[in-house]
Amino acid sequence: MPILQQARGGWAKRIATSPLPFARSARSLTVNEKQIGANMTLPREIATERQISGDTKVELRVLATTDLHAHLLPFDYFTDRGSPVLGLARLSSLIASHRAAAANCLLFDNGDTFQGTPLADAALAEIVPRGDMHPMVSAMNGIGFDAATLGNHDFDFGIPYLTDTLAEARFPIVSANCENADGSDFVPRHVMLERDMVDKAGRKRTLRIGVTGCLPPQVAAWNKPHLDGALKFDDMMQTVQGQVSVLRGKGADLVIVLAHTGLGSHVAEHRAENAARAIASLDGVDAVIAGHTHRTFPGDDAAPGDGTPIVQPGAFGSHLGLIDLELTDSGADGWQVRTRACAAVPLGSGAAEVGAHGYFPDFPELVADMDRAHKATRAFVSRPLGQTAVPLETYFSTLAPCHATQVVAAAQFAAAAPLIRADETLSGRPILSAVSPFKAGGRAGPSHFTDIPPGPLMLRHAADLYIYPNMLSVLRIDANGIREWLERSASVYRQIDPNGPARQFLIDHDFAPYNFDRLAGLRYEIDVTQPPRTNAEGDVIFDTPGRIRNLRFADDRPVLPEDEALVITNSYRAAGGGHMHAAGAAEEVLSAPFAVRDAVATHMAEADQPLHPQVEPTWSLSPLGGVEVIFETGPGAAQHEDRIAALGLTGPNAPVDNATPGYDAYSLRL
């Protein structure tokens, strides 16, 4: 029985043996409607300016968050340390200041809100008693969001849990392309917000703002264990276009789309995963909030532009989306909309504090409740599991196999082995374990690494090694599929020219490290002189010779075209998540009723001695005769001198031209 049982669709019920209630009351979070959005009290100097102006224009500020992933407080529960550039709590002050500077304001959230940190796991494990509000919902109610949409990860803990979570929201949550199996609405497909605005002359004008939302239809496959047969997800472009027509027919003066999707191209294919640019091109859309890919758009110096404004405010509360619109009442033709500003405003940095105190200065009624949530979560994730004799870090995981991913590989092997043995039809095939470093820099930045020191292992460490609640899955795959899987992973590397300029950069930081799978149980080389098979996102496949060389099984037997193998992986990857098309095309032969991180925690807890995994030499970079490359990693890597020496790295070096900000640069000769 796994240590971390599923609880209301999630993990950790057995560990959560002593409930630590957050003890929040819904009444304590009641917010005067005059403090929210467009109805907030206006600064005196702004009101005076309007009284003397004869202009008939209305200026509206749209603020947005996206991909908060349960980053509520400025605290990293994985490391048990403050983090000054994370969280909705700190972002709330930026929200308040930008509201105060605007005549009229609306605030939206763009999804992937309720999953992603141990705070969400604590709520899921019934540390928060059933019926109490999710801490993120409590905070969003108090801050005064006007509307929100759903992201794909909001379904990670199952439909009943999500339904309970949404029920406490005092703001509408919409989604155009999500519906129940019978075709009925799962949440409303749109909402019409009627807000009293103040125009430039100081007069009250009532505007009807139509809001709809959408998310990638691939979520049906990514979260198949929870959603199969219960929910359907249609094409985003088609459904959004339909809802925009409905809203315009109902008299919407303005239509805003909360699009939990990346930018994509200007022309989206049917059921595209990333389509924000294409959605912005739809007739009748006045503004788009993008998300999903954790990118920031536009840049700091971007001009408003002529097209429909799009803003994508990063992730985890790193940025606040801001779109300033100017609406002119043209009489019979309705309101005409012009973009005055569009920016992703960075949160900034500062000294971190452990508790919630000081991080809701504009919403003092939230401080005590959020501090209780914080303390309860810290107690929850500090529960002991075992010991490790070696550091479990991911600073070098894209350069060589490591202890951190080996622990996950071993846990997957141990959890899947009895299931495979029980099915006679699966016998006789090599068994591989696909693992990736979930926190290894990339576009998440130079602080996004796992760094667990030798010593006690706690619940937070299991979550640090495996941050998603994906279910364990076993695939049957042929030799060609194995090779294509590895080619997709090898796209993390830039192409290196052996005769090119000195000190070429090795890692493409646009590539998400959680898509860098190594298949334990294999041996292979990666030739970085060849171009990658895919782009960083994996949505473009190039016709190239490929990078995988000398592919063989652990017993040194070559992988032949007629070979088949079983690959232990997770439900997201089994559905082709991360544009891992080879995994999506393979046959799923087993789907376990528990999450992979349950298996990781069980592996830690059941070890009879401190973990000291023997790291498999799964892969290596093909030698290039001494060509020097630059390997960039997080500043914390400098503390691992033995690892630096063993890998043949020198540095960290002085900053070099075109280096990635915040990363340390090491030299390596291939």
Side-chain angles (χ1 to χ4, degrees), residues 107 110 166-167 183 238 290 338 350 355 358 375 382 402 414 439 449 452 479 494 500 505 507-508:
L107 173 63
N110 200 39
L166 301 183
Q238 180 180 349
R338 182 173 72 90
K375 291 174 180 176
S382 296
C402 66
K439 297 169 62 180
F449 289 85
I452 302 169
R494 299 177 186 272
F505 289 94
I507 300 297
D508 180 359

Side-chain angles (χ1 to χ4, degrees), residues 228-594:
D228 192 29
L231 294 180
K232 299 186 297 184
F233 298 85
D234 298 322
D235 175 70
M236 290 185 289
M237 285 282 290
Q238 180 180 349
T239 52
V240 167
Q241 188 170 36
Q243 293 305 303
V244 171
S245 296
V246 171
L247 286 164
R248 290 297 183 183
K250 291 182 176 181
D253 300 308
L254 179 75
V255 173
I256 297 171
V257 181
L258 309 180
H260 188 84
T261 177
L263 296 174
S265 62
H266 291 279
V267 179
E269 296 179 356
H270 182 66
R271 297 182 68 83
E273 177 183 344
N274 296 306
R277 283 193 174 101
I279 288 170
S281 70
L282 293 174
D283 187 40
V285 174
D286 294 300
V288 173
I289 313 301
H292 182 55
T293 57
H294 294 194
R295 296 186 182 276
T296 303
F297 182 85
D300 295 337
D301 57 352
D306 297 326
T308 300
I310 306 173
V311 68
Q312 184 174 0
F316 309 156
S318 65
H319 292 73
L320 178 67
L322 181 150
I323 300 175
D324 279 342
L325 300 173
E326 182 180 83
L327 294 85
T328 304
D329 188 355
S330 59
D333 293 331
W335 292 89
Q336 303 300 309
V337 182
R338 182 173 72 90
T339 305
R340 299 178 67 246
C342 182
V345 183
L347 175 61
S349 60
E353 296 180 16
V354 170
H357 299 295
Y359 286 95
F360 285 100
D362 301 279
F363 307 95
E365 69 278 9
L366 291 174
V367 173
D369 289 341
M370 296 300 104
D371 199 44
R372 282 193 292 273
H374 169 66
K375 291 174 180 176
T377 301
R378 288 188 71 196
F380 170 67
V381 299
S382 296
R383 296 178 179 183
L385 290 176
Q387 297 275 332
T388 178
V390 294
L392 304 176
E393 47 78 21
T394 58
Y395 291 111
F396 312 97
S397 297
T398 54
L399 187 60
C402 66
H403 286 113
T405 54
Q406 192 66 46
V407 167
V408 178
Q412 291 185 165
F413 275 127
L419 303 177
I420 294 172
R421 285 196 300 268
D423 188 340
E424 295 181 356
T425 66
L426 302 180
S427 63
R429 294 176 178 83
I431 302 174
L432 315 176
S433 186
V435 291
S436 60
F438 287 107
K439 297 169 62 180
R443 59 187 181 231
S447 63
H448 194 67
F449 289 85
T450 291
D451 193 352
I452 302 169
L457 289 172
M458 303 175 193
L459 186 60
R460 61 184 171 88
H461 296 130
D464 197 357
L465 286 173
Y466 208 101
I467 62 177
Y468 295 107
N470 302 323
M471 311 298 276
L472 187 134
S473 176
V474 178
L475 306 179
R476 179 161 47 207
I477 192 167
D478 61 20
N480 182 65
I482 291 172
R483 186 174 292 276
E484 289 304 312
W485 193 323
L486 298 177
E487 289 287 358
R488 164 71 181 125
S489 296
S491 296
V492 70
Y493 301 111
R494 299 177 186 272
Q495 185 176 4
I496 302 300
D497 182 355
N499 302 310
R503 308 184 74 195
Q504 301 169 69
F505 289 94
L506 181 63
I507 300 297
D508 180 359
H509 292 295
D510 282 339
F511 186 101
Y514 59 76
N515 287 325
F516 181 68
D517 286 356
R518 72 176 175 103
L519 299 189
L522 291 176
R523 303 291 184 266
Y524 52 96
E525 295 179 2
I526 301 174
D527 181 0
V528 294
T529 66
Q530 297 298 319
R533 182 62 59 85
T534 74
N535 66 348
E537 298 290 350
D539 55 358
V540 178
I541 300 175
F542 305 121
D543 183 14
T544 71
R547 292 176 155 183
I548 303 303
R549 301 284 181 269
N550 198 20
L551 179 60
R552 58 204 190 281
F553 293 108
D555 61 4
D556 214 34
R557 181 173 63 87
V559 176
L560 301 176
E562 62 271 19
D563 282 326
E564 281 190 342
L566 302 179
V567 179
I568 309 166
T569 184
N570 60 72
S571 53
Y572 173 76
R573 190 67 85 225
H579 292 276
M580 196 71 71
H581 301 293
E587 178 189 2
E588 185 177 44
V589 293
L590 287 173
S591 179
F594 54 84

Side-chain angles (χ1 to χ4, degrees), residues 24-325:
R24 291 185 304 277
S25 67
R27 184 173 180 80
S28 70
L29 295 177
T30 300
V31 178
N32 189 323
E33 287 294 319
K34 291 182 179 179
Q35 295 177 331
I36 299 178
N39 297 322
M40 62 181 292
T41 303
L42 300 173
R44 179 173 299 175
E45 63 271 19
I46 296 177
T48 302
E49 185 272 334
R50 293 190 187 108
Q51 291 168 2
I52 62 174
S53 171
D55 201 336
T56 60
K57 293 180 173 64
V58 168
E59 294 179 349
L60 172 62
R61 173 161 292 173
V62 176
L63 301 177
T65 58
T66 192
D67 295 275
L68 291 171
H69 283 284
H71 286 80
L72 177 58
L73 303 176
F75 194 86
D76 185 340
Y77 294 103
F78 299 118
T79 61
D80 200 42
R81 293 194 298 266
S83 180
V85 292
L86 290 176
L88 179 59
R90 288 205 47 159
L91 202 62
S92 69
S93 293
L94 194 60
I95 291 169
S97 65
H98 279 284
R99 271 179 173 165
N104 310 286
C105 190
L106 295 171
L107 173 63
F108 301 108
D109 180 71
N110 200 39
D112 273 8
T113 308
F114 307 116
Q115 174 278 332
T117 69
L119 181 136
D121 300 326
L124 183 72
E126 297 183 344
I127 293 295
V128 181
R130 183 178 290 276
D132 274 21
M133 274 188 262
H134 191 292
M136 292 297 293
V137 175
S138 297
M140 294 168 75
N141 283 343
I143 293 169
F145 279 73
D146 288 277
T149 193
L150 298 171
N152 51 291
H153 283 291
D154 292 323
F155 295 90
D156 280 359
F157 298 135
I159 297 171
Y161 181 73
L162 179 58
T163 301
D164 289 347
T165 299
L166 301 183
E168 298 293 343
R170 293 203 296 270
F171 49 90
I173 297 166
V174 297
S175 183
N177 67 324
C178 173
E179 62 183 31
N180 294 312
D182 62 5
S184 61
D185 294 354
F186 176 67
V187 295
R189 296 177 190 264
H190 65 257
V191 66
M192 187 77 78
L193 303 176
E194 291 196 2
R195 294 290 189 267
D196 288 340
M197 306 281 175
V198 179
D199 69 15
K200 295 281 286 183
R203 297 183 297 262
K204 183 175 76 173
R205 307 295 296 268
T206 300
L207 263 68
R208 294 166 60 82
I209 302 102
V211 181
T212 188
C214 61
L215 74 162
Q218 288 80 8
V219 66
W222 298 336
N223 261 318
K224 183 179 178 181
H226 294 307
L227 305 180
D228 192 29
L231 294 180
K232 299 186 297 184
F233 298 85
D234 298 322
D235 175 70
M236 290 185 289
M237 285 282 290
Q238 180 180 349
T239 52
V240 167
Q241 188 170 36
Q243 293 305 303
V244 171
S245 296
V246 171
L247 286 164
R248 290 297 183 183
K250 291 182 176 181
D253 300 308
L254 179 75
V255 173
I256 297 171
V257 181
L258 309 180
H260 188 84
T261 177
L263 296 174
S265 62
H266 291 279
V267 179
E269 296 179 356
H270 182 66
R271 297 182 68 83
E273 177 183 344
N274 296 306
R277 283 193 174 101
I279 288 170
S281 70
L282 293 174
D283 187 40
V285 174
D286 294 300
V288 173
I289 313 301
H292 182 55
T293 57
H294 294 194
R295 296 186 182 276
T296 303
F297 182 85
D300 295 337
D301 57 352
D306 297 326
T308 300
I310 306 173
V311 68
Q312 184 174 0
F316 309 156
S318 65
H319 292 73
L320 178 67
L322 181 150
I323 300 175
D324 279 342
L325 300 173

